[in-house]
Amino acid sequence: GQRLVDAVRRWGQWVLEEARKELAAYYPHDEDGSIPVGYLWARTLPCQNPSCQAEIPLMRQTWLAKKANKKVALKMLPNRAERRVDFEIVEGDAIDFDPSEGTVSRAKVQCPLCRIGTIDAATTRRLFREGRAGQRMVTVVLHKPGQTGKRYRLPTERDLEAYREAEKALEAKRAQLWAEWGIDPVPDEEIIKPCHEVDRPPMYGMPTWGDLFNPRQKLALITFAEKVRRAYDQMLDEGAEAEFAKAVATYLGLALDKVLEIGNILGRWEPVAQCTRTVFSRQALPMTWDFGETVPIATSAGNWNEHLDRVITATKLALEARNSFCSGNVIHGSATHMPFPSAHFDAVLTDPPYYDNVNYSALSDFFYVWLKRTVGDLYPELFATPLTPKSEEIVADPNRQGGREEAKRFFEEMLTQAFREIHRVLKDDGIAVIVFAHKTTDAWEAIIEALLKAGLYMTASWPIHTEMQARLRAQESAALASSIYMVCRKRTSDEVGVYSEVRREIERRVREKLAQFWEEGIRGADFFMSAIGPAVEAFGRYSRVEKLSGEAVTVKELLEHVRKVVAEFALERILKDAELGGVDAPTRFYVLWRFAYNHAKVKFDEARKLAQSVGFQLEEHWDGKGFVRKEKDVVRILGPKERDRDFLQRGRCETMVDVLHKAVLLWERNDRRGLEELFVQSPYPQEPLRRVAQAVADVLPEGDKERQLLQGLLYGWREAVRETPGQRGLFDG
C-alpha cells in the first residue's frame, strides 16, 4: 500500500515539474517576486443602445476581498470617450459605492455608461450564441513569498501578452497531440441538450465540453494530460509492472479531473475566502459572467499539488481501513442484475436515485471526456462510447424518455427490477435499508409502487437530517433538509386488508409519529414527507388493500389520504386549535404553504394536491383574482407586498388572507382610518384573524419581510382593535 502512495506522490511531482517547464512562461511573475495565483475575467457584450455601443463588462458584483479586516473592490469608471469601462482597485474607506451591485443579474444586463442600454435575458443569450460576447481580464491576484494574504492589481500589457502567447502555444500543442493521440486533445464532444443539469452553456454559445475552458486553461490541461500519459510510459521504461503503472496513472488522471472543477470559465470568485469556487457548488452547471482563472502550477487553491494531495489522502485512508478493520469489494455493474446468489445477504443498504433530482450521467460527462484523454487507452472497455452511457440510468428524465408520464413509468419499472434483485439476494429474515428524499408525491408514488411490486414492505422509517445548511435554498425552491430512511423486509404473507380498517390504522400510526416528529422539531416540507413512512408501514403489510367494492386501493389514493391527515394535524398545531371551523379553506392552504414552502415556487401538480387536502380550488384565486400566481408549470403564493397595485383600493375581501394582507399594508402606511374601516367591514371575527397572522409569522424564517410586517401588525393589534368601534376590549387579557 505504501508503495502505491509513494509512487503516486513521486510521479505526481514529476508531472507537475514537466508541465511547469512548458507553462511557466504564460504566468509571468512580477518584478518584485510576486507570483500570480489567479486572474479574474469578465465576459463582455456590446451595449445595444445605438448611441452608446460601449463594451459592457458583465459582472455580478465587484468585490475582490470581503473580510472583516480586509475589504478590496473593483470600482467601475465609465469612459465615455473610449466607449468602455475602466477600473480602479480601491480598499477600505475608499469604497464609496456598493460592490455587490454589478452590471448583470439573471442574464439581464445594464450598461454602466449610458444607463439606458438594458439587454434582456433572451437578447443576452442570442448575442452569446451569435459570437458577439468577448472576455476581458480585469484583475491579477498575487501572492508574495514570505508574506501572508493576497494582493490585487490591474492587468498590464505584459499579462495580456502572456495570455496571447498561450493562445498561440495552444494551437501548436493541440495539433501535435491530435496527431499523436488520434483524438482532439481538447474535448470536442457536444454537451447533451435539453438537460437541466448541463445545458446552460449551450444556451450561451458553448456547445462542447471543451468550450468550458479559455485558451490558457486548455493549454494547461492538455499539457498535464500529456504528462500523465507519459508518466505511465516512463514507469514501464523503468521496469514497473503494467498493472501497477496503470494504477498510478489512474490516480494521476483523477487528480487532473479535480483540477478541472476549478480550472474552467464557470467558476465564481468568492471574495470572502478569496479564491475561485468549484463549478459544482450545486448539481448543475451554472452560467457565470465573471470568473476566476486559477494557476495550476502555482501553490494556491486549485493547483495541481492541492488535488494530488487529496487523492493521496483518500488513497491512504482506504488502505488504512483495509489493513485495520475491514475490506470491501467494489463491483462495476447494474443494480437491476446483481452478480450474487439468492438469499445471500443479511442486509442491503442502498441510496437509490431520487427520481428526477439529478441526471448524474450528464454531469459525469464533464469528467469523462478528460479521463478518456488521460487514461482512456488503459481502460478501452470503459471509454468505448463518446460520452457516458445513459440508457440504463435509473432517472426520470422527460427529455430522454419522451415525456413526464413515460419518465415516471421508466423510473418505476427500473426501480422495481432493482428492488426485486434486493428481494432475491436477501435472506428470508434479512432487512433492506432504503434512503429516499423527494418533495413530490409523483416520486413517492413511484418508489412505493416499486417496493410493493418487489415484495418488500416497510417496518420502520425515520426522517434524518442529511443536507448541509449551505445547500438548502428554502427561499428559492422547496428544498428538503431530511432524507427518509426506510427499513424493509420481505413480505411473507398474502393477507388482504380492508381499507376502512387499514385507514384507521394509518391515521392512528401517522398521528402518533407526527406528534413525535413535531416534538423533535421537524417542520416544513420535511414534515409532510415524514408521514409517508408510517402510512406505508400500515399499508404495505398487506399484499393488497381493498375497498368494500373489492377494488384495490392505489398508492395514489393512499398518499392523498395521508396528505389530508398531515394537513389537518399541521394546522391544529400551527393554529394552536383543534377546531378549524373558523378558518376558511383558502387561508388553511395559505398557512400550510408558508409552513411547507415559505416563498418557494412549486410544481403546479404538487400545489394542486396540497390545495385539495384542504378543499381549496387554486384556479379560483389566480390571474389577478387572489394570492395565487401560476407561472408556466409552477405556482407561487403572493405575499402582501406582491399583490397588484389596486389591491388596497378594491372593495370586499374574498378571504381571510385578503383581510390580513390589506391590514399589514395599511399598518405599514400608518393608515389608522383605513385599518379601522377594514376591521369594521371584514366578515371575519378578529380572533381567528389574529390567530392566523400569528401562525403565519411563526412559520416564516427570521428576517423574512412578510414575517416582519405581520409581527408589526400583531404588536399594534391591541391598540388598533380597542379603538375600533364595536370591538372594544375584544382581546383584553
Side-chain angles (χ1 to χ4, degrees):
Q2 188 59 43
R3 179 180 170 229
L4 176 62
V5 170
D6 292 342
V8 173
R9 180 179 288 110
R10 175 198 166 193
W11 287 101
Q13 288 304 310
W14 183 89
V15 166
L16 174 60
E17 293 308 317
E18 291 297 307
R20 184 177 280 145
K21 292 174 186 176
E22 296 186 24
L23 299 173
Y26 308 115
Y27 306 98
H29 293 190
D30 281 13
E31 292 181 359
D32 67 353
S34 295
I35 300 170
V37 293
Y39 301 86
L40 305 189
W41 293 80
R43 304 178 204 272
T44 64
L45 280 179
C47 178
Q48 298 300 287
N49 176 3
S51 64
C52 180
Q53 297 183 330
E55 178 196 69
I56 307 173
L58 306 184
M59 305 188 73
R60 72 200 187 323
Q61 56 96 48
T62 61
W63 281 110
L64 299 175
K66 191 180 181 184
K67 301 175 72 173
N69 61 347
K70 183 179 181 180
K71 288 185 167 54
V72 186
L74 271 176
K75 184 174 185 178
M76 288 187 275
L77 306 172
N79 186 338
R80 292 177 176 80
E82 298 294 330
R83 294 187 176 182
R84 58 176 282 151
V85 174
D86 293 329
F87 288 101
E88 176 186 6
I89 294 177
V90 292
E91 301 186 31
D93 294 340
I95 302 175
D96 57 356
F97 59 99
D98 185 359
S100 64
E101 294 182 3
T103 60
V104 59
S105 176
R106 297 183 180 273
K108 186 177 180 181
V109 181
Q110 174 78 52
C111 178
L113 273 76
C114 68
R115 293 291 179 181
I116 61 173
T118 301
I119 307 175
D120 61 43
T123 303
T124 296
R125 288 190 285 270
R126 175 178 60 79
L127 292 172
F128 268 81
R129 290 194 300 270
E130 291 174 354
R132 304 280 301 282
Q135 62 174 7
R136 178 177 170 188
M137 189 188 300
V138 295
T139 308
V140 180
V141 187
L142 300 163
H143 167 67
K144 190 170 184 179
Q147 297 182 2
T148 59
K150 294 183 173 73
R151 292 192 303 107
Y152 303 89
R153 65 167 172 79
L154 298 179
T156 64
E157 180 56 33
R158 184 164 173 259
D159 298 310
L160 301 177
E161 180 59 28
Y163 183 81
R164 289 191 289 266
E165 289 300 315
E167 289 181 300
K168 295 175 186 176
L170 171 64
E171 294 180 20
K173 189 76 173 180
R174 189 173 188 173
Q176 170 210 330
L177 296 180
W178 201 331
E180 291 180 14
W181 299 353
I183 183 175
D184 188 347
V186 176
D188 56 356
E189 294 89 346
E190 290 196 359
I191 300 171
I192 65 168
K193 57 183 188 298
C195 177
H196 169 74
E197 284 83 356
V198 298
D199 60 10
R200 285 295 182 276
M203 290 181 188
Y204 290 89
M206 294 176 277
T208 73
W209 287 104
D211 292 329
L212 305 187
F213 309 88
N214 73 21
R216 184 159 54 187
Q217 290 171 330
K218 292 175 187 176
L219 175 63
L221 292 170
I222 66 174
T223 300
F224 271 96
E226 177 199 27
K227 304 313 175 190
V228 170
R229 292 168 69 114
R230 294 205 171 153
Y232 173 76
D233 294 334
Q234 190 85 5
M235 282 183 270
L236 294 181
D237 290 344
E238 293 186 7
E241 307 97 316
E243 283 301 307
F244 184 80
K246 179 179 177 180
V248 174
T250 301
Y251 282 113
L252 299 179
L254 293 173
L256 181 58
D257 261 28
K258 291 298 292 182
V259 173
L260 302 175
E261 284 194 57
I262 297 178
N264 57 73
I265 60 174
L266 301 179
R268 295 178 183 271
W269 178 256
E270 168 50 59
V272 177
Q274 297 182 79
C275 66
T276 300
R277 290 300 191 192
T278 171
V279 67
F280 292 115
S281 55
R282 63 187 184 93
Q283 293 157 323
L285 291 178
M287 177 58 193
T288 54
W289 314 107
D290 50 292
F291 62 92
E293 179 192 2
T294 57
V295 181
I297 61 172
T299 57
S300 58
N303 70 82
W304 167 264
N305 262 343
E306 176 186 39
H307 295 299
L308 179 68
D309 286 344
R310 288 180 177 176
V311 168
I312 290 172
T313 299
T315 307
K316 289 171 67 176
L317 289 172
L319 290 168
E320 289 169 6
R322 186 190 70 179
N323 295 333
S324 61
F325 61 88
C326 67
S327 62
N329 294 318
V330 178
I331 297 175
H332 177 233
S334 172
T336 57
H337 297 92
M338 288 194 277
F340 304 109
S342 299
H344 182 65
F345 291 108
D346 295 301
V348 175
L349 287 78
T350 183
D351 192 354
Y354 293 173
Y355 196 57
D356 59 352
N357 265 12
V358 183
N359 198 325
Y360 285 106
S361 63
L363 290 170
S364 297
D365 287 339
F366 177 87
F367 302 102
Y368 178 92
V369 295
W370 284 99
L371 278 175
K372 182 162 61 173
R373 286 157 173 81
T374 51
V375 297
D377 287 351
L378 304 179
Y379 300 92
E381 73 283 4
L382 298 181
F383 294 93
T385 54
L387 296 170
T388 58
K390 296 177 174 62
S391 62
E392 294 186 17
E393 181 183 17
I394 304 180
V395 62
D397 184 348
N399 296 315
R400 191 188 303 173
Q401 289 134 10
R404 177 179 164 185
E405 288 304 314
E406 282 300 302
K408 182 180 179 183
R409 181 191 60 77
F410 173 85
F411 179 83
E412 187 178 313
E413 288 180 358
M414 293 288 281
L415 200 62
T416 299
Q417 178 58 30
F419 286 168
R420 281 177 176 151
E421 279 290 272
I422 291 175
H423 186 284
R424 181 183 66 80
V425 301
L426 265 183
K427 294 177 181 177
D428 287 345
D429 60 348
I431 62 170
V433 179
I434 297 166
V435 183
F436 196 71
H438 206 282
K439 59 181 177 282
T440 70
T441 47
D442 275 353
W444 280 101
E445 281 177 32
I447 197 164
I448 293 168
E449 287 282 9
L451 275 174
L452 298 179
K453 288 177 181 177
L456 296 169
Y457 78 97
M458 202 183 307
T459 59
S461 65
W462 295 274
I464 296 180
H465 198 87
T466 57
E467 298 302 313
M468 292 185 298
Q469 192 63 34
R471 295 186 61 188
L472 299 179
R473 304 177 306 282
Q475 296 300 311
E476 298 295 331
S477 65
L480 296 174
S482 302
S483 295
I484 307 299
Y485 281 65
M486 301 176 283
V487 180
C488 304
R489 291 186 179 272
K490 287 183 172 184
R491 186 186 299 112
T492 56
S493 165
D494 291 329
E495 184 181 358
V496 176
V498 178
Y499 188 43
S500 58
E501 298 174 3
V502 175
R503 187 169 57 190
R504 284 194 292 272
E505 171 61 17
I506 288 172
E507 291 178 8
R508 183 194 66 77
R509 179 71 174 147
V510 167
R511 280 187 162 268
E512 176 185 289
K513 295 298 288 185
L514 287 178
Q516 176 186 337
F517 296 151
W518 187 275
E519 292 302 316
E520 292 173 355
I522 295 172
R523 297 291 188 271
D526 292 289
F527 191 71
F528 278 82
M529 295 302 103
S530 71
I532 293 174
V536 178
E537 289 169 29
F539 186 85
R541 286 192 290 109
Y542 304 94
S543 62
R544 176 183 169 94
V545 176
E546 294 181 350
K547 303 173 187 175
L548 292 178
S549 63
E551 183 183 1
V553 178
T554 65
V555 172
K556 183 176 182 178
E557 290 173 311
L558 167 69
L559 293 180
E560 286 176 357
H561 181 64
V562 170
R563 197 181 298 107
K564 289 179 181 178
V565 173
V566 179
E568 185 176 292
F569 182 96
L571 283 169
E572 290 172 4
R573 292 300 177 102
I574 297 166
L575 294 171
K576 299 178 175 62
D577 190 348
E579 296 297 325
L580 303 174
V583 181
D584 59 14
T587 305
R588 296 185 194 189
F589 171 77
Y590 188 88
V591 171
L592 283 177
W593 186 282
R594 291 294 187 241
F595 169 72
Y597 303 128
N598 290 349
H599 297 281
K601 296 178 181 179
V602 173
K603 291 286 187 180
F604 167 74
D605 197 48
E606 282 306 301
R608 180 185 59 79
K609 289 172 182 175
L610 181 64
Q612 282 181 338
S613 71
V614 293
F616 175 59
Q617 296 299 317
L618 280 179
E619 297 86 346
E620 296 176 4
H621 294 269
W622 69 43
D623 295 335
K625 291 179 283 188
F627 55 82
V628 180
R629 177 165 295 170
K630 186 170 183 287
E631 301 171 353
K632 295 183 179 179
D633 64 338
V634 298
V635 168
R636 188 160 62 89
I637 301 306
L638 304 179
K641 301 285 285 184
E642 299 169 295
R643 304 292 289 266
D644 55 62
R645 291 181 180 178
D646 64 340
F647 171 61
L648 269 176
Q649 279 67 52
R650 287 206 298 266
R652 182 181 176 85
C653 293
E654 299 288 334
T655 68
M656 296 176 78
V657 176
D658 293 338
V659 175
L660 285 177
H661 280 182
K662 278 194 176 184
V664 294
L665 292 174
L666 291 167
W667 179 259
E668 185 184 38
R669 293 184 177 191
N670 198 28
D671 185 351
R672 295 288 296 279
R673 182 178 296 277
L675 197 57
E676 290 173 6
E677 292 176 358
L678 176 67
F679 285 144
V680 169
Q681 296 172 5
S682 168
Y684 303 103
Q686 297 204 36
E687 173 60 26
L689 279 173
R690 191 172 74 158
R691 195 151 38 90
V692 169
Q694 186 67 63
V696 175
D698 288 345
V699 300
L700 288 171
E702 288 288 345
D704 182 86
K705 181 62 177 175
E706 183 175 350
R707 175 188 171 109
Q708 292 171 347
L709 287 171
L710 286 166
Q711 287 175 330
L713 176 66
L714 288 163
Y715 180 77
W717 197 299
R718 183 187 302 273
E719 180 184 355
V721 169
R722 280 177 174 173
E723 296 185 10
T724 300
Q727 301 291 337
R728 183 178 305 277
L730 182 60
F731 289 110
D732 286 352

